[in-house]
Amino acid sequence: MVLRMKPGRPSIMKLVTAGAMIAGLDVFWNLALGRIPIYLPPLLSPGAAIPLNALVHIGVTAAFFCLLGTLIFFLPGRWFKKHYAAGTVTAWGVFLGLTVLARYQNLQQEMSPTLVLLSRFALAAAIAAGALVLAKTVRRSPKAGWPVFLVISAFAATGILLLRYPLHPILSLLPFLGGIWLVHLLAGVILRRRRVGITVPSVGVAALAVLAAAAAGFRSGGGGDPSRPHLVFLVLDAARADRMSLYGYRGSTTPLLDSRAGNSLLFRQAYPTANYTFPSHVTFFTGLYNRTHDIWQGTEPEMERYRGFDNLACSLSRRGYRTLLLTENPWVAGLYGGFSHYHYLDIGGMPVSGWQGTWKDLSSTPSRFPLFLGNTPSPFAARQLLDCLIFSLQGYYKGLVDDYQLRLLYERMLLRRRDEPLFFFINWMNVHNRYYPAAGREFGKTIRPYDWSGDYDRAMAHVDRRIDGLWELFARTGELDRTVFLVASDHGELLGEYRVFGHTRSFFQGVIRVPLAFISSAWPGRRVAESPVSLVAVKPALELLADRRPGEDLRAELISVFADRPVVAEHRSFQPGPDGEYLRGWMLVSGDRAKLIRDPEAPGFQSTWGGTEDFLFDLESDPREEENLYSSRPRTVERLQGIYRDWREATPVAPALAEGRIAPGLKKRLRAMGYL
């Protein structure tokens, strides 16, 4: 049946058909690439969730086409009214171009301003040329509109595919390329045999997409007898244990987490191996002390060394896990090696996610094919447009980031193989300095006086709600009893102690004592470990959980894993000291909670301690570190110094690395966050 359009009147059916067919192709090839559009809340059955979300996406795209076609109809000139279908197709192509552009923008950091300007001009000219070619072809032969569109669509899909996977041999891409071109070829044959431009039977392509989505849905999902638990490692960047009601804080900052942690293992005294983000995360992933990995800033030589480690993602992948890194911290984004999927999102808010590294970074990833499976902006134009509309209506803090992350996690849960265990590593930045969301804050506005403590607590309460949303995601999909959550932090913040505010590298409790809790709804009650522990044991602890069956109470074994590792943290300055050494400060906490600090940078705080570089605190009687006992207890100092010397002699030291540079784009983002 040919749908003929009367002159001057738009045909809604044609626009619906166009939108349905385009969305069908959209769903089909993105499903082959491991992406599905998410619109609906979590459902228990992947077999139903995947095709239902595909149907909603086709409907939303068709609705946008009706809107675009109607708007084009009201433009002046008979040509626009007669050929609005070509305009809607071109508009869809522009969305595809934006998807490609999101990756192109990452390359601009390495280009001169002149090259950036020329490349933008060339990109705009290419889009305009493509639109003119399509419009000219349709004007000469309106019935050729769909065949021409299908060819352009196939080329666009091929281009995006190659852009996502530029580093793999072409032979490994042939099955995907062949499938994309076969679908477009079949659609073109159908249209040509019927000798029409836009027809109702063309909706069959959309139906084919839904059938493919249904097949993928029934092929994936739960059922059976899973043998390994899901693992969720959630790092609350810059979270202080003593500002969480879970740890007895007087304010109700984490009431939802408190209730969820009724079945848990809670460590009261947990310490990272470094006092800022990057080396702490390297330790999380490698299970090595800072002295052994010697990775501190993310320079090129350091990243080359990191890629040589058998990290946590690689270890769990060998155990059959599908792994995902999801971070709001650009420093952590560089540690994607070994993860099946990885996303970096700006905490200030972005309508879509995207990888922020360079081509050189990506060329060394050990991630298995397909390389960019989960590492690009949402490839669905209609979903992007909805996100952009929501984004434009929100304030300074874009809550859309929270929703988008849950969609990404849900998507990974739906597309995993049957009974495949999941490992999600998530880094949230709400309680990192520039706390989000803050009361009455506007972009670019300076707030004086700034309520550090109040905004920190408000941000912590927001994190608590985000944790509850993550918990509900696993509950609604029926995976909660199979899941173990690890909630921890990489360091803390100073909120006025010693007259110091913000993200300052030190070894005082506000910076170095962090939360550490393993939570599983299958465990009976809460168990608390009081002894000091080091987060260097996180990797072996997660590997222990991964090797055992879901629901098994392993808390006694987890305590043993943490118990035999000394609690030591070290600090490497970005500038060498008078002796030329970078590694300058260190901290040790003994089993009796005596804490020794050697920090040559402490006098720079100009705090209540004056010029002192050495500290001794009894955390049992003085948890707030108000009395420095270094001069009055020389025997304790000598004992702790001996423990530290023994640890140094027993701990391997990494070979020195050549000086290297941090990528300019990463350096800019780190400086904006206060790291540099």
Side-chain angles (χ1 to χ4, degrees), residues 40-75:
L40 302 176
L43 302 173
L44 286 175
S45 171
I50 294 178
L52 285 176
N53 277 284
L55 279 174
V56 172
H57 176 68
I58 290 171
V60 170
T61 304
F64 278 136
F65 264 67
C66 289
L67 177 62
L68 288 170
T70 303
L71 292 176
I72 291 174
F73 170 75
F74 286 106
L75 292 174

Side-chain angles (χ1 to χ4, degrees), residues 435-459:
Y435 311 124
Y436 299 96
R441 185 168 183 176
E442 299 177 7
F443 183 76
K445 180 182 178 181
T446 301
I447 302 175
R448 292 194 178 94
Y450 183 65
D451 184 6
W452 289 88
S453 181
D455 266 2
Y456 189 90
D457 287 351
R458 281 188 286 269

Side-chain angles (χ1 to χ4, degrees), residues 426-442:
I426 305 170
N427 174 287
W428 286 343
M429 294 280 286
N430 298 93
V431 292
H432 191 281
N433 65 336
R434 301 169 181 80
Y435 311 124
Y436 299 96
R441 185 168 183 176
E442 299 177 7

